[in-house]
Amino acid sequence: MMMMKRRLILALASVSATLLLGGCASQSIENYASQQPALDLQQYFNGTLDAYGVFTDRSGAVVKRFTVLMLCSWTGDDGVLNEDFSYSDGTKQTRIWHLKKLGNGRFVGRADDVVGEALGESRGNAFHWTYTMRLPVDKRVYEVQFDDWMYLVTDKVMLNKAAMSKFGVQLGEVTLSFTKR
């Protein structure tokens, strides 16, 4: 009887470790190095873009829809992305990103509602960045981590999928489609 309990405990520990490690696995930006069309972040985020998106909770239900008008410009390695959001509940929001190209496909970004810096890297047709954002919800502000992936589909269209989490627990996803005018 004692031997069966030990085997059961070992089996459960093994399954738990496998699930835990599997949950930590993530894709690598290097997987996209040869993908076309090649994304030039400075070229794509330059001028006027329209974006259309949804926020889904962890069950996949759409919680909020939104549109974004983006006015973007670069001076050398410094970029400004001015985003004006209009949400389905009638609220509006502005976020201004200040990006800096560091070289070798790496970028750093700042915005007023971002804690510290957003760190990003581009390879092939993809851009990946991570950051912590202060997110207002029901008169409270939460610091939420974003794991943000963008994929250039054509020279005018880019898709964006960002996983949101807190303390390692998935809260939901933001899905966006960008269209360059």
Side-chain angles (χ1 to χ4, degrees):
M1 183 73 151
M2 187 62 117
M3 187 61 112
M4 280 181 49
K5 283 184 181 179
R6 284 187 188 151
R7 285 184 187 159
L8 180 60
I9 289 171
L10 285 173
L12 288 173
S14 175
V15 168
S16 296
T18 300
L19 290 173
L20 185 61
L21 291 174
C24 295
S26 66
Q27 61 180 329
S28 168
I29 191 69
E30 296 302 329
N31 294 342
Y32 299 93
S34 64
Q35 296 295 311
Q36 296 293 320
L39 172 60
D40 178 339
L41 214 62
Q42 290 170 284
Q43 186 275 325
Y44 188 81
F45 285 116
N46 193 27
T48 303
L49 289 91
D50 296 299
Y52 308 90
V54 293
F55 167 70
T56 55
D57 64 18
R58 62 182 145 205
S59 75
V62 174
V63 175
K64 201 178 266 195
R65 294 170 286 117
F66 58 93
T67 61
V68 188
L69 174 62
M70 297 177 65
L71 303 176
C72 311
S73 63
W74 289 82
T75 303
D77 290 338
D78 297 309
V80 176
L81 281 60
N82 187 333
E83 303 174 322
D84 286 318
F85 292 81
S86 296
Y87 293 95
S88 54
D89 63 4
T91 60
K92 304 219 180 270
Q93 178 186 21
T94 296
R95 175 175 302 114
I96 301 173
W97 282 100
H98 296 275
L99 302 183
K100 177 134 187 102
K101 182 178 182 179
L102 302 176
N104 198 27
R106 295 178 306 117
F107 291 82
V108 65
R110 291 186 160 281
D112 286 343
D113 55 356
V114 171
V115 177
E117 295 179 329
L119 301 175
E121 195 169 1
S122 181
R123 294 283 186 277
N125 73 329
F127 180 66
H128 174 235
W129 63 346
T130 56
Y131 50 93
T132 299
M133 182 176 285
R134 288 182 208 93
L135 199 62
V137 178
D138 298 330
K139 298 183 183 178
R140 294 190 60 189
V141 176
Y142 298 92
E143 290 187 1
V144 176
Q145 288 70 47
F146 279 77
D147 185 20
D148 203 333
W149 286 87
M150 298 180 187
Y151 308 95
L152 188 62
V153 178
T154 71
D155 63 336
K156 300 269 188 216
V157 177
M158 184 158 43
L159 299 178
N160 181 201
K161 191 169 196 173
M164 296 173 38
S165 63
K166 183 154 182 72
F167 304 123
V169 176
Q170 177 107 6
L171 301 175
E173 289 185 343
V174 176
T175 306
L176 279 161
S177 171
F178 296 99
T179 303
K180 186 173 175 66
R181 290 187 189 177

